[in-house]
Amino acid sequence: MPSAAKSIQSQDKRTLRPAVLDDVRSIYQILKHYSDRGLLLPRPESDIYQSIREFVVVENSDRIVACCALQIFTRQLGEVRSLAVMPEYAGAGIGTEIVERIEQEANTIGLTRLMALTYEVKFFSRMGYKVVEMNVLPEKVWGACINCHKFRNCDEIAVLKLLSED
Ligand SMILES: CC(C)(COP(=O)(O)OP(=O)(O)OC[C@H]1O[C@@H](n2cnc3c(N)ncnc32)[C@H](O)[C@@H]1OP(=O)(O)O)[C@@H](O)C(=O)NCCC(=O)NCCS
């Protein structure tokens, strides 16, 4: 486990909370760290401002170290989107914690299915998501994906979790 991950476990000073506008720069930088490496899709700051109410963040000693958004597509389907944990904090359970919070929010508002497009299949499998064909998710594919530069050659893997019966 990375040393920072060990120390945050022992200090346990982290807070999971809804994002505020002052977090936008930090969210942008965390996402950029991974989008520069081709692991996440890039999101401009303007997009993050517009979507700020979808985000939760993890703050550790006044620093934003992780973020995740819940995007709603239809009455049933939402997406776990823009999930990222700073690499030095990986492996300490923050990713799991933040996805569990997104799932709670999804349940609270009445979504029945949550999806993600990811390269981190093992992480999502451990959380109860199943790999599905992209065409099982037409709402996503024909809504958001059609505007993505990877649309014709997307190599991300679609995963889906049933939260409750439709
Ligand atoms: C995927 C990602 C969010 C995981 O975040 P994380 O905080 O490392 O996740 P967790 O610590 O909860 O779990 C990671 C692993 O550490 C292990 N772990 C969790 N808590 C642990 C602990 N206290 N001690 C030791 N290991 C632990 C988990 O078992 C898990 O193992 P896995 O590889 O089998 O899934 C993170 O690696 C990331 O930001 N990746 C880049 C962006 C990305 O791909 N996002 C997904 C797009 S949808």
Side-chain angles (χ1 to χ4, degrees):
M1 190 192 302
S3 56
K6 273 190 210 140
S7 73
I8 54 167
Q9 261 199 326
S10 51
Q11 291 167 12
D12 202 28
K13 279 187 187 161
R14 64 188 195 227
T15 314
L16 175 53
R17 60 165 174 78
V20 296
L21 291 168
D22 278 347
D23 300 324
V24 168
R25 188 74 201 161
S26 301
I27 294 171
Y28 171 77
Q29 281 166 345
I30 297 176
L31 298 180
K32 185 172 183 321
H33 173 87
Y34 289 111
S35 63
D36 284 351
R37 290 156 180 79
L39 297 173
L40 288 178
L41 292 176
R43 282 189 87 164
E45 275 189 72
S46 56
D47 180 21
I48 300 170
Y49 275 113
Q50 285 163 12
S51 313
I52 194 68
R53 285 174 293 189
E54 297 176 356
F55 275 91
V56 290
V57 292
V58 174
E59 193 171 356
N60 189 74
S61 301
D62 296 330
R63 183 182 177 207
I64 303 300
V65 299
C67 62
C68 190
L70 171 61
Q71 184 167 15
I72 299 167
F73 287 116
T74 65
R75 170 66 190 82
Q76 289 82 26
L77 182 67
E79 180 182 9
V80 179
R81 193 175 174 200
S82 298
L83 165 64
V85 176
M86 285 309 289
E88 60 267 42
Y89 292 84
I94 296 177
T96 303
E97 196 182 339
I98 204 166
V99 171
E100 283 172 353
R101 169 67 165 261
I102 291 290
E103 290 178 357
Q104 271 172 20
E105 290 187 7
N107 264 317
T108 302
I109 60 174
L111 285 171
T112 58
R113 293 181 292 149
L114 266 185
M115 57 150 295
L117 293 181
T118 189
Y119 300 111
E120 295 282 354
V121 174
K122 194 170 152 221
F123 170 83
F124 279 100
S125 298
R126 200 174 41 75
M127 297 201 67
Y129 290 74
K130 306 265 183 257
V131 173
V132 291
E133 292 294 324
M134 208 65 100
N135 61 14
V136 172
L137 306 166
E139 303 96 331
K140 168 75 179 174
V141 173
W142 299 112
C145 291
I146 204 161
N147 297 317
C148 175
H149 69 281
K150 283 189 174 178
F151 181 56
R152 296 269 168 228
N153 53 359
C154 179
D155 56 355
E156 293 189 300
I157 294 161
V159 294
L160 183 68
K161 181 169 180 174
L162 197 63
L163 300 175
S164 59
E165 294 302 322
D166 285 346

